[in-house]
Amino acid sequence: MEKQWYTISVYSENNIGLLNRISGIFLKRHINIESLNVSKSEIENVSKFTIVIFASEEWTRKIVGQIEKQIEVIKAFYHTDDETIYQESALFKIESHLLFDERQIQNIIKESNSQIVTVARDFFVLAKSGRRHEIDEMHDALEPYGIMQFVRSGRIAVSKAAMPITNILSEFQNK
């Protein structure tokens, strides 16, 4: 039972309490949710949960089965990192004087392909999108200079293979 990263995509109706019930499924199995993002999906009135876990395929399959038992859940899928295209985003708030006083800060910005979002008298904000390790590398590079604030989004992902969710929804609507 080798553990690896899995991205679970859950398509559901947008109902109160569903997130709590889904997180309870992970809690019961002592599996940590490493990343969570909820947004509207490509289908009108259907939400998409993108959940990242580090677990065995057996546990992941069981969890997806439990999630699908929730009444509002239309369908859930799981994929390995190799089967998805994914990104995360992060914001770094740094003291403004460092932008001008520390040449290395400008090099970090350039090398990391990050963007300056805003500059104020006391701080500036950098935005970085990429894979988790790329954001971690930028964080590690900026940390010695002092990070005033840091925030990272949950993973957003699409599968490389076609997702049959639209066909599944069509079948439900025709019944």
Side-chain angles (χ1 to χ4, degrees):
M1 281 200 316
E2 183 180 324
K3 289 184 174 184
Q4 63 178 326
W5 293 103
Y6 287 97
T7 300
I8 299 172
S9 300
V10 180
Y11 289 85
S12 73
E13 298 172 23
N14 189 10
N15 288 356
I16 294 172
L18 179 59
L19 177 58
N20 191 36
R21 291 194 309 279
I22 287 175
S23 65
I25 292 168
F26 293 92
L27 177 65
K28 288 178 196 172
R29 286 165 179 74
H30 302 282
I31 294 177
N32 190 39
I33 295 173
E34 299 291 335
S35 173
L36 171 66
N37 185 336
V38 183
S39 68
K40 68 180 188 176
S41 71
E42 64 274 19
I43 303 146
E44 189 174 344
N45 298 320
V46 174
S47 294
K48 181 181 179 184
F49 291 69
T50 304
I51 305 165
V52 178
I53 62 171
F54 188 72
S56 68
E57 184 172 10
E58 178 184 355
W59 277 108
T60 304
R61 187 176 30 253
K62 288 178 182 179
I63 287 169
V64 167
Q66 287 294 307
I67 290 171
E68 286 189 328
K69 290 180 182 178
Q70 300 300 310
I71 206 110
E72 304 91 342
V73 172
I74 298 161
K75 187 69 178 161
F77 303 91
Y78 69 92
H79 298 93
T80 64
D81 282 358
D82 291 340
E83 298 169 330
T84 59
I85 299 163
Y86 60 92
Q87 293 267 295
E88 293 182 9
S89 295
L91 296 176
F92 299 84
K93 183 177 174 183
I94 312 289
E95 291 182 40
S96 283
H97 73 87
L98 293 171
L99 185 57
F100 307 104
D101 297 344
E102 294 288 343
R103 181 80 176 134
Q104 187 57 27
I105 295 283
Q106 293 176 23
N107 292 338
I108 293 168
I109 294 168
K110 185 178 177 182
E111 291 167 5
S112 66
N113 293 318
S114 59
Q115 296 178 311
I116 298 175
V117 177
T118 190
V119 177
R121 180 178 306 277
D122 298 329
F123 65 88
F124 68 100
V125 176
L126 296 173
K128 169 71 179 152
S129 293
R131 300 235 172 163
R132 177 174 280 266
H133 71 89
E134 294 170 328
I135 292 170
D136 287 342
E137 288 169 4
M138 185 170 167
H139 184 278
D140 293 346
L142 290 171
E143 196 168 37
Y145 301 99
I147 299 171
M148 296 170 71
Q149 290 184 38
F150 171 75
V151 65
R152 166 190 268 142
S153 73
R155 176 182 286 191
I156 54 173
V158 294
S159 65
K160 289 180 181 176
M163 292 282 272
I165 188 67
T166 306
N167 296 338
I168 292 167
L169 282 174
S170 298
E171 291 172 19
F172 279 120
Q173 290 172 345
N174 292 333
K175 288 184 180 181

